[in-house]
Amino acid sequence: MNQPISQTSFLSKLRMRLRRAVVHIAPGRPIDDALLEELETQLLQADVGVDATRTILEQLRVGARENKLKDADALRATLVQIITGLLAPVAHPLKLGGTNKPFVILAVGVNGVGKTTILGKLALRFKSRGINLMLAAGDTFRAAAVEQLQAWGARQEVPVIAQAAGADPAAVAHDAWLAAKARGIDVLIVDTAGRLHTQGNLMEELKKIRRVLTRLDPAAPHECLLVLDAGTGQNALRQIEQFHAAVGVTGLVLTKLDGTAKGGIVIAAAQRFGIPIRYLGLGEQADDLEEFDAQPFASALIGISEATHP
Ligand SMILES: Nc1nc2c(ncn2[C@@H]2O[C@H](COP(=O)(O)OP(=O)(O)OP(=O)(O)O)[C@@H](O)[C@H]2O)c(=O)[nH]1
Ligand SMILES: [Mg+2]
């Protein structure tokens, strides 16, 4: 699944879908302190966060002192470079381990962020690459959740393990793992119900799912994916903190980047936590899923078009 994606197509799609670029610099505007201050405000408004914004501005001022920011294009290119540098440490695609069978992916996150959608998209992508997989409907809270997962599964004949509404999600995960093991499945993807990071009892339920999987295979879950709605702003940072404390998040997915002007949260999350960002969700369709890549993302965010920055 770790095929290199075309940077150009990623960039154009992201540019097209992001509601607007984070940074706006009027053409012909002199690069001076006033402009840098405006940029600072724009970065903060886009949820880049105080710490990451400070880092970016410090580096920009170094560029200004060295006379590297001659015009708006040079400024944008420097910004892209700086942001790419901040994002590069978290740009690690998910690698499905060879000896781990089944490789277990557990998806967690608050309500409605796009967990089930991302898992459906991933299932289609993995399946189309010849990976033998299974889905587990660990969201037993909403009756429609099972059907939603089954609908994704049916598109590529991916088996979906489910139990009646109200069943213990840890039991679903347990049975699904045994079924996956018995059938020689490569990848088991476990969906879970959305829950607020502040709901202690529901966070305990997640820990239990995790424990059950670890009992079956000490290395499982091999990936604990926290799905975040990119539009939720700084609250996403609290979600990372609390889900990480509860279940040990190993990868992030940022969804709904197509509908937000606040994609800067990706930078804030990268700088604050250093947790790998695996995928971006750019819409509701099956192919609206991209592996995270630092430089094209930085370019799209800053509003550099393909014409000037292929
Ligand atoms: N625009 C846009 N919509 C999305 C994206 N991902 C998911 N959605 C939509 O967001 C809504 C919620 O998606 P779900 O996948 O059901 O979210 P969830 O996290 O599984 O929700 P719960 O299980 O209820 O917690 C659906 O209407 C999706 O179609 C995205 O990247 N962009
Ligand atoms: Mg769901």
Side-chain angles (χ1 to χ4, degrees), residues 115-116 139 142 148 191-192:
K115 294 178 294 300
T116 307
D139 182 353
R142 277 192 315 121
Q148 192 186 354
D191 191 17
T192 62

Side-chain angles (χ1 to χ4, degrees), residues 48-100:
V48 172
V50 176
D51 294 343
T53 298
R54 190 181 304 126
T55 307
I56 293 169
L57 261 291
E58 273 165 15
Q59 294 189 34
L60 268 185
R61 292 204 167 95
V62 171
R65 274 199 299 278
E66 291 171 355
N67 218 13
K68 283 185 186 150
L69 312 181
K70 293 198 188 317
D71 55 24
D73 282 348
L75 173 62
R76 274 202 206 89
T78 306
L79 258 176
V80 169
Q81 235 176 40
I82 296 170
I83 293 173
T84 301
L86 290 177
L87 294 176
V90 298
H92 297 293
L94 178 60
K95 289 202 165 62
L96 303 178
T99 54
N100 297 302

Side-chain angles (χ1 to χ4, degrees), residues 111-117 139 142 148 194 256 258 281-284:
N111 312 69
V113 290
K115 294 178 294 300
T116 307
T117 304
D139 182 353
R142 277 192 315 121
Q148 192 186 354
K256 309 195 188 188
D258 51 312
L282 303 175
E284 298 183 83

Side-chain angles (χ1 to χ4, degrees), residues 3-285:
Q3 288 169 1
I5 52 163
S6 148
Q7 288 215 344
T8 308
S9 72
F10 176 89
L11 184 55
S12 58
K13 198 163 175 179
L14 191 58
R15 281 283 293 122
M16 231 162 52
R17 300 282 173 87
L18 270 176
R19 191 133 44 88
R20 62 177 176 79
V22 158
V23 162
H24 309 270
I25 308 164
R29 182 85 198 265
I31 312 299
D32 53 16
D33 280 350
L35 177 63
L36 292 185
E37 263 170 45
E38 258 174 55
L39 268 182
E40 186 169 12
T41 308
Q42 290 177 15
L43 291 170
L44 289 171
Q45 278 169 354
D47 270 326
V48 172
V50 176
D51 294 343
T53 298
R54 190 181 304 126
T55 307
I56 293 169
L57 261 291
E58 273 165 15
Q59 294 189 34
L60 268 185
R61 292 204 167 95
V62 171
R65 274 199 299 278
E66 291 171 355
N67 218 13
K68 283 185 186 150
L69 312 181
K70 293 198 188 317
D71 55 24
D73 282 348
L75 173 62
R76 274 202 206 89
T78 306
L79 258 176
V80 169
Q81 235 176 40
I82 296 170
I83 293 173
T84 301
L86 290 177
L87 294 176
V90 298
H92 297 293
L94 178 60
K95 289 202 165 62
L96 303 178
T99 54
N100 297 302
K101 231 174 151 179
F103 185 91
V104 181
I105 300 173
L106 177 67
V108 301
V110 305
N111 312 69
V113 290
K115 294 178 294 300
T116 307
T117 304
I118 276 288
L119 297 185
K121 290 174 184 176
L122 277 181
L124 296 190
R125 180 164 296 195
F126 291 171
K127 183 82 184 188
S128 71
R129 291 178 186 176
I131 294 167
N132 193 7
L133 74 150
M134 180 182 274
L135 292 165
D139 182 353
T140 57
F141 183 67
R142 277 192 315 121
V146 174
E147 288 158 33
Q148 192 186 354
L149 205 63
Q150 279 166 339
W152 281 102
R155 288 171 67 168
Q156 285 237 19
E157 292 172 23
V158 174
V160 179
I161 301 292
Q163 289 183 13
D168 179 355
V172 176
H174 179 266
D175 291 358
W177 190 91
L178 290 179
K181 192 74 185 169
R183 294 192 214 171
I185 293 285
D186 300 319
V187 177
L188 170 66
I189 302 182
V190 183
D191 191 17
T192 62
R195 66 201 71 222
L196 283 177
H197 47 296
T198 48
Q199 291 170 305
N201 55 334
L202 294 181
M203 294 304 272
E204 285 305 316
E205 185 188 84
L206 265 193
K207 289 187 200 170
K208 184 176 169 196
I209 298 174
R210 201 198 148 87
R211 267 199 314 274
V212 161
L213 288 166
T214 307
R215 220 174 288 141
L216 292 161
D217 172 359
H222 306 88
E223 176 77 353
C224 184
L225 270 184
L226 174 62
V227 184
L228 300 160
D229 177 338
T232 48
Q234 297 294 307
N235 189 261
L237 302 180
R238 300 261 334 274
Q239 294 170 25
I240 299 174
E241 220 165 63
Q242 306 217 2
F243 276 95
H244 191 46
V247 287
V249 173
T250 53
L252 302 178
V253 176
L254 276 293
T255 63
K256 309 195 188 188
L257 275 158
D258 51 312
T260 181
K262 302 217 169 227
I265 195 66
V266 175
I267 304 171
Q271 220 216 5
R272 175 102 157 255
F273 298 99
I275 298 173
I277 297 172
R278 307 295 197 189
Y279 298 100
L280 304 178
L282 303 175
E284 298 183 83
Q285 302 308 312

